[in-house]
Amino acid sequence: MSPRPIIAPSILAADFARLGEEVRAVQAAGADWLHIDVMDGHFVPNITLGPDIVRALKPHATVPMDVHLMIAPADPFLEAFVEAGADIVSVHPESGPHLNRTLKRIRLLGARAGVVFNPSTSPAVIEWMMDEVDLILVMSINPGFGGQSFMHSQLAKIETLRRMIEASGRDIVLEVDGGVTAETARLCVDAGATALVAGTAVFRGGPQAYAANIAALRG
Ligand code: DX5
Ligand code: ZN
């Protein structure tokens, strides 16, 4: 039997005009982490939020803030996000030339370091860096927008990365992001995922539905 997955609601699907309330509501409903999607309109075709929003939400956060950077370059902004309150900072390898240096820098700043895999990115990217990562995030959509359909092709990659994590002997979180629903959540957990990001599936129906939505993802 698989252990209970970490549920990380993506605030991308929250009501941006009431973000503090949304964060409190989703935490009260059982969120384990808060997933924060940072987009620059350059690395991905959408723009969302920056360190000032992370800082504004920090006093409302009672759970770890899981910051997913979809920006290039990412290096000049790492310090700002950690200072603003990010507990985990994840970067895409394609966002800079020196992934190893970037991961070391995130840890040096005091946060946990994550690597994000686009649907086309090979697990080989981190083959020589298993000691440097605290979290691996598999995108099951092309990053940029919520509400897309889960790409089943990524399940085999989750399985491969699970084997790599086991072989490393390290306690690395394996997270999945994109199109996660109650149905696809089961597939991810069965493939070896230990954390699930969900925007649409958590925030649909408004605050009164959040607890049931999160419970459904846990299965
Ligand atoms: C997209 C983001 C996701 C997104 C997921 O680039 O990384 O975190 O919010 O949204 P859903 O759960 O709606 O697919
Ligand atoms: Zn994300």
Side-chain angles (χ1 to χ4, degrees):
M1 198 176 109
S2 305
R4 178 181 181 274
I6 292 165
I7 304 295
S10 165
I11 63 162
L12 190 60
D15 179 351
F16 270 26
R18 304 168 38 252
L19 266 187
E21 283 167 55
E22 290 277 69
V23 161
R24 289 193 298 274
V26 87
Q27 288 172 159
D32 299 301
W33 291 358
L34 293 172
H35 185 80
I36 299 170
D37 289 304
V38 180
M39 307 186 191
D40 65 355
H42 165 73
F43 184 71
V44 289
N46 193 8
I47 300 176
T48 54
L49 50 87
D52 287 344
I53 304 288
V54 174
R55 185 177 299 106
L57 291 177
K58 189 66 176 174
H60 303 271
T62 55
V63 299
M65 296 178 93
D66 172 31
V67 174
H68 174 190
L69 297 182
M70 288 161 274
I71 62 175
D75 288 358
F77 301 98
L78 300 175
E79 189 169 358
F81 280 103
V82 176
E83 277 185 358
D87 298 284
I88 304 157
V89 177
S90 298
V91 296
H92 287 250
E94 297 86 357
S95 68
H98 299 289
L99 180 60
N100 186 281
R101 180 179 288 149
T102 301
L103 297 173
K104 283 195 165 81
R105 179 87 185 125
I106 292 169
R107 282 180 162 182
L108 206 64
L109 288 165
R112 283 187 270 169
V115 174
V116 194
F117 289 80
N118 276 334
S120 63
T121 308
S122 167
V125 163
I126 56 156
E127 191 178 352
W128 300 98
M129 265 183 289
M130 295 302 281
D131 288 340
E132 315 287 347
V133 294
D134 302 299
L135 177 141
I136 292 169
L137 175 52
V138 175
M139 296 301 302
S140 38
I141 54 167
N142 281 300
F145 302 95
Q148 302 181 71
S149 298
F150 185 85
M151 294 171 65
H152 287 75
S153 60
Q154 300 305 301
L155 289 167
K157 189 191 290 179
I158 297 168
E159 289 173 0
T160 299
L161 286 162
R162 163 54 51 203
R163 284 195 293 273
M164 289 170 67
I165 291 169
E166 296 303 321
S168 78
R170 297 197 56 247
D171 185 19
I172 298 169
V173 176
L174 182 51
E175 188 175 39
V176 182
D177 184 4
V180 173
T181 61
E183 293 72 38
T184 58
R186 294 281 59 73
L187 303 175
C188 295
V189 170
D190 288 347
T194 52
L196 303 169
V197 175
T200 309
V202 167
F203 286 95
R204 74 155 62 91
Q208 64 282 359
Y210 296 168
N213 290 346
I214 288 173
L217 290 172
R218 290 213 170 93

